[in-house]
């Protein structure tokens, strides 16, 4: 009986201990959840304050712009646009409705158009004055001839009174005919001079345009020759690392780069065959994107582009022009950048690709055509977009030439933007999983596991990729 009592007491003690442990675990879980909620609330408040500050700055900048173009800060944008439309219509009406490209006018272009019109009118006035002076000289000559004829007729009148009426009639008839002929000749002369002036002006204008186009084409040819030389791959480019393990079925690889190499998630690499050390003239066999850093020299990546007939294998080398293990690479960007083929400038996207990969954009051209930063010898590549023209961006064309000259002077290699994108292993935002501060890699991996119907990822044995 005593044994049974002891056994019951032991069971009660065990149940009591289990309840205490369960209560402790529950208390810890709720405490951690409350702590995380407080942290999230604090972060949200900080972001809200930052966005509010940016909104105030944007409002101040917009009000300043209103004052600059002649309005008050209280003027609405609808009133500003209405006034601008009225000003443009007034300008077009003053130009008899023939202002060039009226839809593209703005407050900076209207004075330019007026100055050009004034210069043209001055040239026309000078030409008209020259024509008037020539006509006045011809008129004086005609008057002198007529006066001489009149004097001769008067002399003949004094010597031959009997022939006065006849000679006077003949003289008047001849004079009238002469004047009529002179008027016809003068009218023909004026018409011919007008045609000659029009043809001469048209020829002169066309010659200027053709000479300018010829000069631009010659500069373009010389620039393309130099760019073509700069586009050739350099034998100094060497792999940044290698693949140590590959799961082609799950499109996952492990590489021998990690936190000590300053590697970061979302960095992309091109993959080259095993043992390929010299990358000049070699096309990549695949591209990868880093998804997770595991160790000082170990990281996991996903295969973003590959050829089924040429899979990624252990020992394959990897390379990217935007990064060197242990230090960031510097770049400069110039020209019209169109990465996705939508005819829109993707300069911001290209800078984001470089900075995400750990690189630094040391110099670029902003939307006004101004050069931001400077080209120095420690910049690795000058990335070339499409060459601007005077019609698309006059400032951008000057900046394009200046940055190419500076790159040659500093020994900086120039490469096309498509060549850079291929080397960097970028395959487009719609094909990648982009991570940010709010991303949870564990959730993404769990989702991928479900989609692959139970296939489990394998990890190389040991704590290192070597």
């Amino acid at each position: 009986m005593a044994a049974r009592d002891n056994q019951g007491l032991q069971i009660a003690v065990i149940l009591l201990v289990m309840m205490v442990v369960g209560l402790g675990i529950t208390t810890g879980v709720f405490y951690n959840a409350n702590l995380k909620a407080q942290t999230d609330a604090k972060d949200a408040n900080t972001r809200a304050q930052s966005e509010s500050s940016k909104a105030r700055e944007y409002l101040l900048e917009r009000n300043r712009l209103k004052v600059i173009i002649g309005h008050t800060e209280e003027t609405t944008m609808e009133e500003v646009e209405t006034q601008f439309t009225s000003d443009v219509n007034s300008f077009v009406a003053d130009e008899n409705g023939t202002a060039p490209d009226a839809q593209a006018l703005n407050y900076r272009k209207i004075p330019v158009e007026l100055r050009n019109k004034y210069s043209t009118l001055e040239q026309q006035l000078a030409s008209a004055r020259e024509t008037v002076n020539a006509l006045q000289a011809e008129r004086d000559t005609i008057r002198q001839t007529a006066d001489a004829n009149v004097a001769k007729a008067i002399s003949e009148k004094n010597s031959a009174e009997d022939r006065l009426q006849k000679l006077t009639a003949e003289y008047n008839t001849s004079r009238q005919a002469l004047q009529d002929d002179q008027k016809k000749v003068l009218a023909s002369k004026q018409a011919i001079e007008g045609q000659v002036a029009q043809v001469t002006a048209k020829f002169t204008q066309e010659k200027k345009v053709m000479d300018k186009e010829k000069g631009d084409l010659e500069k373009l040819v010389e620039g393309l020759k130099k760019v073509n030389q700069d586009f050739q791959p350099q034998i100094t480019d060497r792999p940044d690392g290698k693949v140590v393990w590959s799961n082609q079925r799950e499109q996952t690889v492990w590489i021998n780069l990690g936190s000590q190499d300053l590697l970061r998630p979302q960095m992309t690499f091109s993959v080259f065959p095993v043992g390929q050390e010299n990358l000049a003239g070699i096309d990549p066999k695949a591209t990868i994107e880093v998804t997770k850093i595991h160790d000082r020299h170990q990281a996991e990546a996903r295969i973003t582009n590959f050829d089924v007939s040429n899979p990624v294998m252990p020992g394959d080398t990897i390379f990217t022009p935007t990064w060197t293990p242990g230090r960031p690479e510097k770049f400069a960007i110039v020209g019209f950048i169109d990465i996705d083929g939508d005819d829109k400038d993707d300069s911001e996207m290209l800078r984001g690709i470089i900075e995400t990969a750990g690189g630094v954009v040391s110099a670029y051209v902003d939307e006004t055509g101004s050069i931001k930063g400077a080209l120095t010898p420690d910049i690795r590549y000058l990335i070339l977009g499409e060459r601007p023209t005077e019609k698309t961006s006059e400032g951008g064309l000057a900046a394009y030439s200046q940055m190419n000259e500076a790159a040659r002077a500093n020994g900086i290699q120039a490469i096309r933007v498509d060549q850079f994108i291929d080397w960097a292993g970028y395959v487009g935002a719609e094909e990648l999983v982009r991570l940010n501060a709010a991303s949870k890699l564990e959730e993404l991996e769990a989702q991928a596991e479900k989609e692959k119907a139970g296939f489990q990822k394998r990890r190389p044995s040991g704590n290192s990729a070597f």
Side-chain angles (χ1 to χ4, degrees), residues 430-446:
E430 68 280 0
E431 300 182 20
L432 304 179
V433 177
R434 293 297 181 193
L435 305 179
N436 53 42
S439 300
K440 296 182 178 179
L441 189 57
E442 294 78 5
E443 295 178 1
L444 297 176
E445 291 175 341

Side-chain angles (χ1 to χ4, degrees), residues 206-435:
E206 292 179 350
K207 184 176 183 299
K208 290 180 180 179
V209 173
M210 293 179 67
D211 289 342
K212 187 176 184 304
E213 292 178 350
K214 178 183 176 184
D216 292 341
L217 290 175
E218 289 175 349
K219 292 179 180 178
L220 177 60
V221 170
E222 292 298 324
L224 290 177
K225 288 180 180 179
K226 178 61 179 175
V227 169
N228 185 54
Q229 296 174 357
D230 294 339
F231 283 165
Q232 301 303 318
Q234 303 298 311
I235 62 174
T236 56
D237 288 327
R238 290 293 182 270
D240 296 316
K242 66 179 181 179
V243 176
V244 297
W245 181 81
S246 173
N247 187 337
Q248 193 71 26
R249 182 182 183 88
E250 296 185 6
Q251 299 182 15
T252 303
V253 297
W254 290 67
I255 60 177
N256 64 344
L257 299 173
S259 58
Q260 189 168 344
D261 302 307
L262 301 184
L263 189 70
R264 291 192 287 177
Q266 293 187 340
M267 292 178 61
T268 55
F269 293 85
S270 297
V271 181
F272 295 88
V274 177
Q276 186 66 47
E277 295 295 330
N278 184 3
L279 305 182
I282 303 298
D283 294 328
K285 63 187 293 187
T287 57
I288 63 174
E289 180 187 33
V290 176
T291 57
K292 192 172 184 180
I293 311 299
H294 288 290
D295 207 338
R296 294 186 304 169
H297 297 291
Q298 186 182 79
E300 183 178 351
R302 61 188 297 267
I303 303 174
T304 57
N305 186 25
F306 66 97
D307 183 359
V308 176
S309 62
N310 189 15
V312 178
M313 302 294 293
D316 286 348
T317 57
I318 60 175
F319 170 77
T320 178
T322 64
W323 175 80
T324 297
R327 66 181 180 89
E329 292 289 354
K330 295 182 179 180
F331 299 87
I333 303 173
V334 68
F336 179 76
I337 305 298
D338 185 7
I339 295 177
D340 49 15
D342 60 354
D343 294 330
K344 296 181 180 179
D345 187 71
D346 295 325
S347 297
E348 290 288 344
M349 182 188 298
L350 179 58
R351 291 202 295 270
I353 292 172
I354 294 173
E355 292 170 356
T356 298
V360 177
V361 179
S362 298
Y364 64 94
V365 180
D366 64 10
E367 61 275 5
T368 65
S370 301
I371 299 176
K372 301 298 183 181
L375 276 76
T376 55
D378 59 344
I379 292 177
R380 184 168 186 182
Y381 293 114
L382 171 62
I383 303 174
L384 297 175
E386 182 180 346
R387 183 177 186 270
T389 64
E390 290 188 352
K391 293 183 179 180
T392 58
S393 175
E394 184 175 356
L397 177 60
Y400 190 91
S401 301
Q402 292 177 13
M403 291 187 70
N404 271 281
E405 290 295 332
R408 283 191 284 269
N410 287 277
I412 300 172
Q413 181 184 356
I415 62 173
R416 299 187 307 271
V417 63
D418 57 336
Q419 183 181 7
F420 173 81
I421 291 299
D422 289 341
W423 285 6
Y426 179 77
V427 296
E430 68 280 0
E431 300 182 20
L432 304 179
V433 177
R434 293 297 181 193
L435 305 179

Side-chain angles (χ1 to χ4, degrees), residues 82-101:
T82 301
Q83 184 61 43
F84 172 75
T85 302
S86 175
D87 293 342
V88 171
N89 292 337
S90 299
F91 173 75
V92 173
D94 292 340
E95 295 299 310
N96 297 321
T98 59
D101 197 12

Side-chain angles (χ1 to χ4, degrees), residues 137-154:
E138 290 178 0
R139 182 197 63 188
D140 294 338
T141 301
I142 293 173
R143 285 180 178 177
Q144 292 176 1
T145 301
D147 292 339
N149 291 337
V150 171
K152 180 179 179 181
I154 293 174

Side-chain angles (χ1 to χ4, degrees), residues 39-53:
T39 302
D40 293 342
K42 183 177 180 181
D43 292 340
N45 185 48
T46 301
R47 289 194 297 270
Q49 291 179 353
S50 177
E51 294 300 325
S52 175
S53 177

